[in-house]
Amino acid sequence: MSLLVIDIGSSSVRSLLFDGGARLVPGAISSRPLQFTTAGDGRCDADALVIRSLVEACVDEILQHSRAQSIRAVGMASFVGNWLGLDAAGEPCAPLMTYADTRAGGQIPELRDKLGGDASAYHQATGCLLHPAYLPAQYAWLRRNDPATESRIARVCDIGGYLRRCWLGGETRTSYSVASWTGLLDTARLQWRGDYAALLGGPGLPAKLPRLADFDEPAQALLPAYARRWPQLRDCPFFPALGDGAVANVGSGAVDADRIALTIGTTSALRVVRHVKRVPDGLWRYLVTAGMPLVGGATSEGGNVYQWLQFAGLARAEDLEAQLLKREPDAHGLTVLPLLAGERAPGWQGRASGAIHGIRPHTTGLDITQAHLEAVALRLSLIFDSLKAEGAVVMAGGGALQASPAWARMIADAFNSPIHLLNEAEVTARGVALLLRNRLDGAPLQRDPPSIQAVVQPDSRRAKKLVAARQRQLDLYRRLYG
């Protein structure tokens, strides 16, 4: 028996088959590239119909695999946050808004004023901060700038909930996991905060929020058209979509307070499953499922910084890794804020931008490359300092780290903590498969730990140099953003 996992990421859509032990079936991956629509005004959205077409093409293809003849259940993960406006007929009537859209940045002062100038109670209730990445600011922006579109929205949902409705019919549902990324879920009481929705998004928003569901509430019985198209899935349970960051923790083996998950993909995040009485300043609390709170912080910088370095012609040397491994930390003398896509944790300056200070006539492309990669590591170390606990282990995944031993060493030195590099290519999808097995058979999430590629140890001398570099970075940040 196999498990089908659908993974909707920010750069690709994939379908994957796992066996009964939650192990990836060799060669059982179907993938299609996905590209958000971006513009200079901060726009970063997507077309739900395009995503639907890509996902369905991946499912069509994976169902041709020999192991797809006995699929037991279907699970899904999606990039978060995302939200979509549906009209009265249940069809998309607005673009799919993403976490990377910054156009709502101008709404933040007004929303803070509506909270009496202090958003701390909102932060503790929802686990989220006032920021253009979340639903309240984005919906308020839409309501102000495109009231005609906003008036057509009868229901708000996420891309996973929309796809389940398309395939199985019924009422639109959003999992607690995805809902916790909206900024409107009371993560302790597991219910929508209609008061915040009305106050921040507008009086009509509370009635448009979808029904909530936990992960153990699957739907079954495909609609007739899809039952004919996908006969292997005709009576399979389809579990609600979960947030990709949440299931990445599970796939990384970080399912308790003893393990902190680090993921560096296009963006970066540090997360730990931990119950806290108070959400730390600058961090968030999301949910994996009910009863599994996820505390951490995500940055808008990660692999996208490396991609920019390549685009700018600064990181194209064939022996770049070897050169970086030979260099001393902070050898460039530069101070960098790698905030190319704005800032999320820990300072939440949505309109922040990248900055390089200290360029001299002798500064090279290698200097700038090293400085930027170290800068990402230093930014992540700020979050790590808020999460670390005695004996906790860092489980690190993501293609960026697996491809760059030099970057992994920078992060170990910046954290001054060992980094366990995962030897798992599909951490997010693996997390979904483990959760499916847990719900279907009761198998403990900790039963099959992930494979470890290497443990990168910090060097105290190198770590000390990066402490000084981090202080310069903090000083530059404060000069620019307070």
Side-chain angles (χ1 to χ4, degrees), residues 241-431:
L242 301 175
D244 54 357
V247 292
N249 259 62
V250 178
S252 301
V255 295
D256 54 35
D258 293 332
R259 291 171 176 80
I260 301 171
L262 165 64
T263 305
I264 299 186
T266 303
T267 58
S268 308
L270 274 162
R271 308 167 301 263
V272 62
V273 174
R274 182 183 297 163
H275 291 270
V276 294
K277 292 182 178 179
R278 184 182 183 280
V279 186
D281 292 342
L283 304 188
W284 36 245
R285 177 176 57 207
Y286 300 143
L287 298 173
V288 181
T289 62
M292 284 189 72
L294 190 69
V295 180
T299 68
S300 295
E301 60 270 14
N304 56 354
V305 172
Y306 187 79
Q307 291 167 0
W308 174 78
L309 290 166
Q310 291 181 310
F311 171 78
L314 299 167
R316 293 183 177 177
E318 291 184 3
D319 61 343
L320 178 62
E321 274 295 307
Q323 291 188 55
L324 289 172
L325 286 168
K326 291 177 182 177
R327 289 171 69 93
E328 283 293 305
D330 201 26
H332 41 75
L334 300 173
T335 302
V336 168
L337 292 178
L339 309 177
L340 305 186
E343 186 199 16
R344 287 186 284 169
W348 298 91
Q349 296 286 344
R351 293 189 170 184
S353 59
I356 308 174
H357 182 265
I359 294 178
R360 301 291 187 183
H362 60 269
T363 299
T364 67
L366 181 60
D367 289 329
I368 296 174
T369 296
Q370 180 189 10
H372 275 79
L373 297 181
E374 286 180 349
V376 173
L378 296 175
R379 295 278 305 164
L380 289 170
S381 74
L382 298 173
I383 301 172
F384 177 71
D385 283 355
S386 295
L387 294 179
K388 65 182 179 182
E390 186 176 353
V393 173
V394 178
M395 311 292 285
L401 285 184
Q402 291 175 332
S404 178
W407 205 359
R409 189 177 73 175
M410 293 175 192
I411 293 172
D413 290 337
F415 289 11
N416 198 18
S417 175
I419 302 296
H420 293 67
L421 290 180
L422 300 173
N423 189 30
E424 299 284 351
E426 303 293 341
V427 171
T428 298
R430 179 177 188 269

Side-chain angles (χ1 to χ4, degrees), residues 135-217:
L135 173 58
Q138 291 184 354
Y139 198 88
W141 176 87
L142 180 67
R143 186 165 171 256
R144 170 167 293 180
N145 291 276
D146 192 354
T149 294
E150 188 274 333
S151 66
R152 292 198 297 272
I153 295 176
R155 179 71 66 195
V156 167
C157 75
D158 65 289
I159 186 64
Y162 166 67
L163 292 177
R164 277 218 321 173
R165 184 183 183 280
C166 291
W167 300 335
L168 294 101
E171 187 179 3
T172 303
R173 296 186 183 186
T174 291
S175 70
Y176 292 134
S177 176
V178 173
S180 67
W181 259 267
T182 64
L184 289 177
L185 181 74
D186 188 319
T187 52
R189 295 182 174 86
L190 301 179
Q191 60 188 25
W192 291 117
R193 284 299 299 259
D195 53 345
Y196 284 139
L199 179 65
L200 303 176
L205 181 56
K208 300 178 181 182
L209 296 173
R211 180 181 170 185
L212 294 166
D214 200 7
F215 183 65
D216 58 0
E217 298 180 41

